[in-house]
Amino acid sequence: MNDELLDRRWIERVQKKAILAFDNNKLNKEYMAIYIKGYRDFSKMLYDHDHGFIRHDPEEIESIRKMVQHMENTINYLDESEQFIIYNELILHKTGKWYLEYYSESSYRRKCKTAYSNYLRLLEL
């Protein structure tokens, strides 16, 4: 278990950095990578807990479950191409050039920047 990921102040700091980066037009994959890693770690903790591999405090599990649900539900408020990108990178954890089957590299970068920006903004609401 990674206590740093569960620290609410850490999550708030990451969100503030991501929004600040957006405001300064410097948003890049670093900030989404933090959310992607957090989502993967939280999902693994929930899976392990639900299948009896590791037991966690019920309040902690409920908090993690809400965070994962919020991250997943937020995707639904994006437009179709943004949903596609965030779903593949956050939920399915696709890496590399998985997108070349669907977009050119320049088109993907433009769409990705918009998708990340909108997703991070929506997480703040």
Side-chain angles (χ1 to χ4, degrees), residues 32 35-36 39 71-72 74-76 78-94 98 103 108 111-120 122-123:
M32 272 305 290
Y35 279 96
I36 290 168
Y39 177 83
M71 293 174 85
E72 290 172 351
T74 300
I75 295 171
N76 296 328
L78 299 170
D79 75 25
E80 190 175 328
S81 66
E82 293 170 348
Q83 284 181 10
F84 180 73
I85 290 170
I86 299 298
Y87 183 80
N88 277 281
E89 295 193 4
L90 179 71
I91 307 296
L92 300 180
H93 196 57
K94 289 186 179 180
W98 64 269
Y103 304 112
Y108 167 77
K111 290 177 183 295
C112 187
K113 183 175 181 177
T114 302
Y116 283 2
S117 298
N118 289 336
Y119 182 72
L120 292 170
L122 287 169
L123 280 175

Side-chain angles (χ1 to χ4, degrees), residues 62-75:
E62 186 59 30
S63 177
I64 292 169
R65 203 174 300 282
K66 285 179 182 178
M67 177 62 75
V68 167
Q69 191 69 38
H70 177 61
M71 293 174 85
E72 290 172 351
N73 288 342
T74 300
I75 295 171

Side-chain angles (χ1 to χ4, degrees), residues 47-63:
Y47 180 87
D48 290 346
H49 178 81
D50 292 345
H51 289 85
F53 300 132
I54 298 174
R55 288 287 171 206
H56 296 283
D57 177 55
E59 289 179 16
E60 180 181 51
I61 288 297
E62 186 59 30
S63 177

